[in-house]
Amino acid sequence: MVFQIAVSIILTVVFSFVVAPVSISLAWRFHLIDKPGSEARKIHKNPMPRAGGTIIFLAILAGGALSGVLTTRPFTSIILASLIVFAFGVWDDIHNIRAIWKLLGQIIATVILIWQGVVVLFPGNPVLNIAITIFWVIGITNAINLVDSMDGLAVGLAGITVSFLTIGALYAGQNTLALFGAIILGACISVFYLNFSLSRLFLGDSGTQLLGFTLAALAIVYTPPHLPQASSWFVPILLFSVPIFDTTLVTFSRMRRKLPVYMGNRDHTYHRLVDLGATPHRAVLLIHLVAILLDCLAFFALSLSPLWANITFGIILLSGLLAIIWLESKQ
């Protein structure tokens, strides 16, 4: 299975590079363009095609079809639901729609997931599980979207998350989930290179929302092997801890200053690190390094007893809160 995973990653990388010129051409043709100066946080000098989402979606479809993931439940439902999120993202990339319309697309897609049985399963009330699922999927979708404040940042974080998720799924014997994760990882590698190293395209809302929604759904499907719920419930949270941290930071900061939460601004973690003296590339790589460290801690905690695992999570949570307070004091 490891060989199949490696081949899937390589083939998806190659496919993504092949379709990249077509995706970029389509972005120019249908006006999926990010114009310089359209928002205060956008400092790029030339118009950029928002083609990353198209590359990732085509890679998921092609990789899913070749591997058989496309016709395997519940992944068929996840891909179908992600199509809705992707479509609303493309609509936003073209027309810059209001946040309420994007939220509507996310709700419709999440309802499809729940209808098809992709639901968080905590012991207790099923209604509570549905509510947690809605909060989780929509929250992570928007967290990945909001964290996209610099070339390579969001797609790099998504690639790190899906790497650990793929390894965890392989270890748990969830081979189809691992295969799906490998396909997404291959697409992320290609788009990261085109976005971070070459600066030839942006992810756009179509890309960030697609990645956030799909990975949130895959995290629900993932089940740690032979482990009590008391020591494994926080693993998905830690896998997405950096986007969650960034979203919490900007939400708190904007509410404190009585600014709209969804208004683009230069108050993200990345911007604050640059203001503190880091170069743009070093700030991105530092955030990626922290994400890798926290993802390692997530799986390390699984080997601990429930008590120590939850203490570890508590320490990380407290550290995050202190970091938010410190960054706000420097703003």
Side-chain angles (χ1 to χ4, degrees), residues 8 14 17 19 29 38 44 61 111 147 157 160 183 216 242 312:
S8 297
V14 173
F17 278 125
V19 301
R29 172 67 178 81
S38 56
H44 57 287
L61 288 181
V111 168
V147 82
L157 289 173
I160 291 167
I183 293 167
V242 171
T312 300

Side-chain angles (χ1 to χ4, degrees), residues 19-33 48-55 58 86 90 93-94:
V19 301
V22 178
S23 300
I24 292 172
S25 178
L26 288 173
W28 286 106
R29 172 67 178 81
F30 292 101
H31 306 290
L32 278 79
I33 305 300
M48 294 290 287
R50 294 167 169 167
T54 304
I55 295 172
L58 290 176
F86 174 69
V90 170
D93 286 338
I94 298 174

Side-chain angles (χ1 to χ4, degrees), residues 314-325:
I315 292 172
I316 294 171
L317 181 62
L318 179 60
S319 300
L321 293 174
L322 292 175
I324 289 175
I325 294 171

Side-chain angles (χ1 to χ4, degrees), residues 111-128:
V111 168
I112 291 176
L113 285 183
I114 295 171
W115 175 47
Q116 293 296 311
V118 182
V119 183
V120 172
L121 295 177
F122 279 114
N125 193 331
V127 176
L128 179 60

Side-chain angles (χ1 to χ4, degrees), residues 72-85:
T72 306
R73 294 176 62 88
F75 305 103
T76 303
S77 305
I78 293 174
I79 295 172
L80 175 62
S82 69
L83 172 61
I84 296 173
V85 173

Side-chain angles (χ1 to χ4, degrees), residues 14-232:
V14 173
F15 176 83
S16 299
F17 278 125
V18 169
V19 301
V22 178
S23 300
I24 292 172
S25 178
L26 288 173
W28 286 106
R29 172 67 178 81
F30 292 101
H31 306 290
L32 278 79
I33 305 300
D34 199 320
K35 298 179 180 179
S38 56
E39 294 181 20
R41 63 189 176 89
K42 296 183 178 180
I43 58 174
H44 57 287
K45 297 179 180 180
N46 300 309
M48 294 290 287
R50 294 167 169 167
T54 304
I55 295 172
I56 293 169
F57 189 71
L58 290 176
I60 289 175
L61 288 181
L66 289 175
S67 64
V69 171
L70 198 62
T71 56
T72 306
R73 294 176 62 88
F75 305 103
T76 303
S77 305
I78 293 174
I79 295 172
L80 175 62
S82 69
L83 172 61
I84 296 173
V85 173
F86 174 69
F88 272 81
V90 170
W91 183 19
D92 182 58
D93 286 338
I94 298 174
H95 297 293
N96 194 24
I97 61 176
R98 295 172 60 189
I100 188 65
W101 291 111
K102 291 188 282 187
L103 180 60
L104 175 63
Q106 295 165 12
I107 291 173
I108 293 172
T110 305
V111 168
I112 291 176
L113 285 183
I114 295 171
W115 175 47
Q116 293 296 311
V118 182
V119 183
V120 172
L121 295 177
F122 279 114
N125 193 331
V127 176
L128 179 60
N129 287 337
I130 291 174
I132 294 173
T133 301
I134 294 172
F135 179 77
W136 169 256
V137 174
I138 293 178
I140 294 300
T141 301
N142 286 293
I144 297 294
N145 186 30
L146 285 172
V147 82
D148 186 32
S149 51
M150 181 56 184
D151 291 350
L153 182 53
V155 71
L157 289 173
I160 291 167
T161 298
V162 78
S163 297
F164 280 89
L165 192 59
T166 300
I167 295 170
L170 194 61
Y171 178 72
Q174 294 179 278
N175 293 339
T176 307
L177 174 58
L179 197 56
F180 195 3
I183 293 167
I184 297 175
L185 175 58
C188 286
I189 291 172
S190 302
V191 173
F192 177 82
Y193 180 75
L194 294 169
N195 180 221
F196 186 70
S197 299
L198 297 183
S199 297
R200 290 190 57 193
L201 53 79
F202 285 168
L203 269 178
D205 264 36
S206 56
T208 55
Q209 290 194 60
L210 173 64
L211 282 174
F213 180 86
T214 306
L215 294 184
L218 294 186
I220 294 174
V221 175
Y222 169 65
T223 305
H226 313 301
L227 290 167
Q229 188 67 36
S231 65
S232 60

